[in-house]
Amino acid sequence: MEEATNQEASQGAQDVAKEDGAAKQENQQQNQQQQQNQQQQLQALSQEDKKKLKARIDGNVGTAHVKLEFIDYSKVNLLYGVENINNNTQAQPEEETKDGQADDETSEPPSKRSKKKNRGMNKKRPFREKRADTSLRLCHKLVYGEACQYGDKCMFSHDIAKLMKEKAPDLGSVCYNFETYGKCLRGIMCRYGSSHISADFKNVVDEEKWSRCKNDSVTTNILPKDLQHFLRKRKQKYPKSDKYLAGMSKAAKERREKQKKEQESASETATCTESEKKEVTLKDSTNGGVGEKATSEPSKVVETDASVSNEASGVTDSNATSSVKTSNELSCQSSVLSESGNPESQMKTDQSEVARPGETTGGGSNDEPCQQRSGVVTDEDMIKLRKCEKKTVDFEDKLYLAPLTTVGNLPFRRVCKTYGADITCGEMAVCTNLLQGQASEWALLKRHSSEDVFGVQIAGAFPDTMTKCAEVLNDHIDVDFVDINVGCPIDMIYKKGAGCGLMNRVGRFEEIVRGMDTVLDVPLTVKMRTGVHDKHLVAAKLIPRIFDWGASVVALHGRTREQRYTRSANWDYIGQCVQAAHPYPLLGNGDVLSFEDANLFKEKSGVTGLMIARGALVKPWIFTEIKEQRHWDISSQERYDILQKFVNYGMEHWGSDTEGVEKTRRFLLEWLSFLYRYIPVGILERAPQRINERPPHYVGRNDLETLMASANFNDWIKISEMLLGPVPENFQFLPKHKANSYS
C-alpha cells in the first residue's frame, strides 16, 4: 500500500514538473515572437520616427545626448514602445539614485523593473571564496625554492608532485612578472608558469634581468612582523601620545574643577546677597527706615560683596601668599631665560594658562619649585616640531587622486599615475584595526615606488586611538602626509562617531587634530564634507578652526552626508569656504569629469587644487585631459590596454597564483562597475559628458566598445575572462551598489 502511494505521489510530482516546463517553454516562445515582431516594426521605422523617439529619450532628466545613429532602438523600444512614438506626453523626470545619477531605467527591461527605488548597497552580496585548508596549500618556502625550517612539523603541504597534479591549468603561456623582472615570486604556483617552471618543478630565474630590474618596482609600507606582534599583544609604546593624552586629561580635570568652583561661588554669592537683603529689610522695618544703623548698612553690604568676590576667585590669605610666591618664581625663571638669550620665553611663560593639552610651558609643572640652572637651556623634552620645521607638501595647482574605498587600490593608483595624477592617497583605514595589527588593514597603506607624493587616510572617533595610530604610522611607514577622514557617510562609520560624525562633535574633533599634529613629523590634512544635514552647512565655520588646531590642508567635498552623491556638488559654498580658509590652502572636490569642469570649478571657487574621485574611476585618463586641455576620444582598444595594464599591476601586487588572479578579477569587476559609465566623445552629440548623466542604450563603433558600454555585469565578467581566463566554477559577482548594474 505504502509503495503504491509513493509511486502515485512521485508520478503526480513528475506531471506537475512537466506542466511547469511546458508553461515556461510556451512563455519563452511568446517572448521570442514578441521580440521578432518588435524588430520588424523597428526596421520599418522611418528616420522621422527615430528622431521623435530620440527626442523623448533626451527629454528625460539625467540622460546624456547620444548621436542618432548610435542609439540601440531594439533595446530602447522596450522602454518607450513603437506605438507610443507619436505620443507627445512630457517625459517624467527620473528619480535620482544613491550615486547621484538619474535612475537608469534604460539599463533594465520593464519586466525586471519594480516600483522600489534601485538605490543603496547590495547587502546580500555573495561571500568571497574561502581559502583552501592549510594542508592542501604548498608551503611558501617551497614556492620560493627555499628549505622549510619546520620540516615534517610544517602545517602546510610539502608534496610538490601531488599539488602540481591537482593544480588548475595555466591561464596563459606568458607570465608578466617573469617577462618584466626575470623572476616570478609565485614560483611553481603561478597560473602562467609554463614559461618559468622546469620539468622537475623548479622556478627558473633570469638572474641578469632580475638583478637589473628588481628595484624598478618596489612596494613599501609593509607591516613588520615584530611590530605586528607588539600591536597584537598590546606591548607597543606610545610615549608622545601618552604625554599628550595625560596633558589633555589634566586640562579637562582642571576645567571641570574650575567650572565646579564657579558654580559653587555663584550659588554662595546668590545666597549671601539674598540673606543681606533680608537683614537690611528687617533692620529698616525695626528702625522705621531712620537712624545711624540704616545709613551704615550699605558699607557692610559692599564689604560683604568684596569678600564674596574674593572667595569666588579662589583667593584667600594663604592663596594670595602662594600666588605671590608663584609669580616671583615665574619672574625669576623668565629672567634666567631672558639672560640666556631667548626673548620669546617670557611670552611663553605668561601664556602658560592657554597652553595646549599635553604641552608643558616654561618651568614645567606648577607644583614644582623654580630651580635656577647653569649652562645652556635646551627645550628638547618640551617643544615639538613647529609647522615650518615639518616636511611640506605643495598642493598648489596639483591634481590629487582622492582616497577611494575598495577601488582606490595600489594597481589602480599606478594606472592613474601613468596618466598624470600628481598626488595619491591610500584607501581609508580604520585606526582601531591598525592598532590591533590586522594585516588586511595595514595592506591599505602600501605604497608603490611610482607614487612620489603619497599619503594615507585614517578614520576614527576618539583622540586616544587616533593619536596613537598617528604615532605608529609616523615611526614605521614612509608617507608624505596623513589625512583624517571627516567625510565618510556610511552608517557603519558615522554611527560610531567617525567620518562625518566628527562634524557633530567639535570638541572631540579638536582633540583629535591637536593630538595627531603633536605626534606627526609630516603635514596633517583633513578631508570633509560641507555638513551632515542639507539645511545646516557647517564647513565654513569649522575650517578656520581646523587650521588653528594644526591641520595644514583641508579638502572639501561639496555635498552633505544626507546628500551622499545625489544632485550636484555645491561649488558656490566651496568658494565661501575658500574665503574663510584664507590664507591657508583648500582643495575642492565634486563632479569633475572633464577639463572644462576643472577650469569652471576652479575659476568659480578659487580653490588651491582639485581632488578627483569618481571622475578618475569613470575615466582614469582625466588627468591627461586636464593637463593637456583637450577632450580625448579614446578608442576601445586603448581602453582595453588600460585594463590589461591594471591586470598586470594586479598580478604583480596580489600575485599570479590562483588566489592572486581571483583577487585581481574581483577588483577589476568593481572598477568596471564605474568604468562602463564612460560615453565616448565621438558618440556624444555634445561634449563633455556630465558626471550625473547616463546614456540610453547605444551601439558602439565596434563590438568591443559596445561590450564595454554594457550595464549588465555578466558582460563585465566576459571582459574579465578576456583578460584573466575563465572564471572558476560557481563564480558569482554582484556590484557594491544597486544603481551600478542589473543582471
Side-chain angles (χ1 to χ4, degrees):
M1 289 288 293
E2 292 180 1
E3 292 179 359
T5 305
N6 292 336
Q7 288 178 358
E8 289 177 2
S10 62
Q11 185 65 32
Q14 291 176 3
D15 293 341
V16 171
K18 286 180 181 178
E19 290 176 2
D20 291 343
K24 287 181 181 178
Q25 189 173 2
E26 186 178 352
N27 289 335
Q28 288 177 357
Q29 290 176 355
Q30 290 177 357
N31 291 335
Q32 289 176 0
Q33 185 64 35
Q34 185 179 1
Q35 289 177 3
Q36 289 176 2
N37 294 337
Q38 289 173 348
Q39 290 289 346
Q40 291 174 1
Q41 289 176 329
L42 285 168
Q43 289 174 1
L45 278 179
S46 65
Q47 193 71 9
E48 189 64 28
D49 289 337
K50 288 183 178 180
K51 288 182 179 179
K52 290 181 180 178
L53 184 56
K54 183 182 181 304
R56 290 203 62 202
I57 296 169
D58 293 344
N60 284 330
V61 177
T63 301
H65 292 198
V66 173
K67 291 179 181 177
L68 183 67
E69 60 269 25
F70 292 107
I71 294 178
D72 187 353
Y73 291 97
S74 62
K75 293 181 180 178
V76 168
N77 176 56
L78 294 174
L79 293 169
Y80 299 96
V82 178
E83 64 277 3
N84 295 325
I85 289 177
N86 294 315
N87 188 352
N88 293 325
T89 2
Q90 181 66 29
Q92 295 297 322
E94 297 177 349
E95 295 181 359
E96 291 183 338
T97 65
K98 178 179 186 296
D99 284 325
Q101 301 80 18
D103 191 18
D104 193 5
E105 292 187 351
T106 61
S107 64
E108 187 173 357
S111 59
K112 297 287 184 180
R113 293 201 309 268
S114 63
K115 293 182 180 180
K116 187 177 179 182
K117 293 180 181 179
N118 193 31
R119 60 166 56 186
M121 293 186 66
N122 285 314
K123 296 182 180 179
K124 296 183 179 180
R125 302 177 79 202
F127 290 103
R128 302 179 199 172
E129 294 183 2
K130 293 183 178 179
R131 299 180 70 179
D133 186 65
T134 53
S135 60
L136 302 177
R137 289 160 53 197
L138 188 64
C139 176
H140 68 280
K141 291 285 186 181
L142 300 183
V143 171
Y144 300 144
E146 303 172 3
C148 178
Q149 56 184 339
Y150 298 105
D152 296 336
K153 295 181 180 180
C154 182
M155 61 191 298
F156 296 96
S157 174
H158 284 204
D159 192 345
I160 297 178
K162 179 183 176 182
L163 288 175
M164 291 301 290
K165 282 183 181 180
E166 297 174 353
K167 179 186 170 186
D170 283 355
L171 299 172
S173 58
V174 179
C175 175
Y176 168 79
N177 294 326
F178 180 73
E179 291 294 320
T180 307
Y181 304 107
K183 180 180 180 179
C184 177
L185 296 178
R186 289 301 177 266
I188 59 177
M189 300 307 295
C190 176
R191 293 294 300 276
Y192 301 84
S194 57
S195 58
H196 59 80
I197 298 177
S198 62
D200 56 345
F201 306 131
K202 299 291 184 183
N203 187 30
V204 178
V205 179
D206 186 342
E207 297 292 349
E208 182 183 352
K209 184 183 287 187
W210 174 246
S211 61
R212 187 176 69 252
C213 302
K214 64 181 179 181
N215 294 325
D216 292 349
S217 178
V218 178
T219 300
T220 56
N221 296 348
I222 299 172
L223 176 62
K225 286 295 181 184
D226 55 346
L227 176 60
Q228 185 180 34
H229 174 77
F230 281 122
L231 290 172
R232 287 180 172 177
K233 298 296 182 181
R234 298 185 181 180
K235 295 181 179 179
Q236 181 65 21
K237 303 296 183 184
Y238 309 97
K240 294 180 182 178
S241 301
D242 292 340
K243 185 177 180 181
Y244 169 77
L245 295 170
M248 187 182 73
S249 301
K250 184 178 178 182
K253 185 178 179 181
E254 290 175 354
R255 282 197 304 270
R256 288 194 299 269
E257 291 177 353
K258 186 177 180 181
Q259 290 174 359
K260 187 177 179 181
K261 286 181 179 179
E262 288 176 353
Q263 291 173 358
E264 290 176 353
S265 62
S267 61
E268 288 176 3
T269 304
T271 305
C272 292
T273 306
E274 187 177 352
S275 62
E276 290 295 335
K277 284 181 179 178
K278 287 181 179 179
E279 186 178 351
V280 170
T281 306
L282 182 61
K283 289 180 179 179
D284 286 345
S285 61
T286 305
N287 298 325
V290 182
E292 296 179 0
K293 290 184 179 179
T295 56
S296 62
E297 288 304 325
S299 61
K300 288 186 177 180
V301 173
V302 172
E303 185 180 352
T304 306
D305 289 343
S307 63
V308 170
S309 63
N310 285 338
E311 264 187 56
S313 61
V315 179
T316 60
D317 293 340
S318 58
N319 288 339
T321 306
S322 62
S323 63
V324 171
K325 181 180 177 182
T326 305
S327 62
N328 290 337
E329 290 174 355
L330 290 175
S331 61
C332 167
Q333 183 182 4
S334 62
S335 63
V336 172
L337 294 176
S338 300
E339 289 174 3
S340 65
N342 188 357
E344 296 181 359
S345 58
Q346 186 171 356
M347 185 184 299
K348 291 180 180 178
T349 304
D350 294 338
Q351 294 175 349
S352 60
E353 293 181 2
V354 294
R356 290 184 181 182
E359 293 183 3
T360 56
T361 58
S365 173
N366 292 334
D367 298 334
E368 297 177 1
C370 174
Q371 295 180 3
Q372 297 186 10
R373 296 182 175 87
S374 60
V376 179
V377 178
T378 63
D379 56 3
E380 295 176 355
D381 57 338
M382 61 183 76
I383 303 298
K384 67 184 184 68
L385 285 175
R386 291 180 297 175
K387 226 179 224 185
C388 60
E389 296 172 330
K390 288 186 176 183
K391 179 180 179 180
T392 58
V393 177
D394 181 18
F395 288 89
E396 183 77 28
D397 293 328
K398 295 294 190 295
L399 298 179
Y400 179 1
L401 174 63
L404 301 164
T405 305
T406 304
V407 280
N409 46 66
L410 186 144
F412 175 75
R413 298 198 304 269
R414 286 185 66 182
V415 170
C416 291
K417 283 297 294 182
T418 60
Y419 287 99
D422 297 315
I423 301 171
T424 55
C425 186
E427 303 173 61
M428 180 190 75
V430 181
C431 65
T432 50
N433 296 342
L434 293 173
L435 292 176
Q436 291 168 4
Q438 294 184 16
S440 59
E441 206 74 15
W442 277 83
L444 304 176
L445 311 179
K446 290 183 179 178
R447 174 182 189 172
H448 190 261
S449 53
S450 63
E451 299 179 274
D452 47 350
V453 183
F454 174 75
V456 295
Q457 185 186 71
I458 58 176
F462 300 99
D464 55 344
T465 53
M466 290 288 279
T467 306
K468 290 177 180 179
C469 184
E471 184 173 356
V472 171
L473 299 182
N474 187 71
D475 294 341
H476 293 92
I477 67 172
D478 176 27
V479 291
D480 298 301
F481 62 92
V482 175
D483 186 70
I484 304 175
N485 186 312
V486 195
C488 182
I490 299 174
D491 291 343
M492 181 180 67
I493 300 294
Y494 176 76
K495 288 180 179 178
K496 293 179 180 178
C500 287
L502 285 176
M503 286 189 281
N504 292 333
R505 299 167 173 84
V506 179
R508 188 171 292 175
F509 187 13
E510 177 183 359
E511 291 172 348
I512 289 174
V513 175
R514 288 193 185 280
M516 293 180 67
D517 180 55
T518 301
V519 301
L520 285 172
D521 297 335
V522 295
L524 177 67
T525 66
V526 174
K527 183 180 185 293
M528 63 185 300
R529 287 180 176 246
T530 56
V532 176
H533 306 289
D534 292 343
K535 295 181 180 179
H536 186 55
L537 306 182
V538 298
K541 294 180 181 178
L542 276 179
I543 287 174
R545 300 174 66 182
I546 292 172
F547 285 115
D548 291 340
W549 299 337
S552 300
V553 178
V554 173
L556 181 63
H557 182 186
R559 290 182 173 90
T560 61
R561 178 185 180 266
E562 279 186 352
Q563 194 176 347
R564 296 290 179 103
Y565 298 95
T566 58
R567 303 190 297 279
S568 299
N570 191 347
W571 280 89
D572 291 328
Y573 187 73
I574 293 177
Q576 297 176 25
C577 294
V578 169
Q579 295 176 2
H582 184 76
Y584 295 101
L586 188 136
L587 310 179
N589 170 234
D591 295 352
V592 179
L593 192 61
S594 66
F595 78 90
E596 292 183 8
D597 293 336
N599 295 344
L600 174 65
F601 295 149
K602 193 168 183 184
E603 182 180 355
K604 187 176 184 179
S605 62
V607 291
T608 307
L610 292 173
M611 174 183 280
I612 302 176
R614 283 185 300 159
L617 294 174
V618 175
K619 44 192 283 191
W621 56 91
I622 185 175
F623 305 101
T624 301
E625 287 190 351
I626 294 174
K627 289 185 174 181
E628 297 181 1
Q629 294 288 292
R630 67 184 177 98
H631 294 299
W632 185 357
D633 189 9
I634 189 169
S635 68
S636 58
Q637 185 58 49
E638 288 174 311
R639 292 164 64 193
Y640 183 82
D641 292 340
I642 293 175
L643 295 178
Q644 183 66 66
K645 190 177 294 186
F646 174 85
V647 166
N648 291 339
Y649 293 160
M651 288 191 292
E652 180 183 333
H653 181 59
W654 292 302
S656 54
D657 55 351
T658 301
E659 187 177 342
V661 167
E662 293 312 311
K663 190 172 286 189
T664 303
R665 188 192 306 275
R666 184 172 70 86
F667 285 110
L668 172 66
L669 292 171
E670 294 286 0
W671 183 23
L672 286 171
S673 71
F674 290 91
L675 200 59
Y676 86 94
R677 301 179 185 181
Y678 170 71
I679 310 171
V681 175
I683 288 177
L684 286 170
E685 270 191 346
R686 55 169 176 75
Q689 174 191 357
R690 302 301 178 191
I691 200 165
N692 287 345
E693 289 181 343
R694 290 290 178 275
H697 280 291
Y698 68 90
V699 179
R701 292 167 289 190
N702 53 50
D703 292 340
L704 182 58
E705 195 167 72
T706 304
L707 182 65
M708 288 181 168
S710 174
N712 189 328
F713 64 73
N714 290 313
D715 290 330
W716 308 343
I717 294 175
K718 290 179 185 177
I719 295 174
S720 77
E721 290 182 322
M722 294 166 62
L723 294 160
L724 291 166
V727 298
E729 192 176 353
N730 301 324
F731 177 81
Q732 290 182 325
F733 173 76
L734 198 62
K736 231 178 180 182
H737 299 287
K738 294 177 183 177
N740 280 11
S741 174
Y742 70 88
S743 59

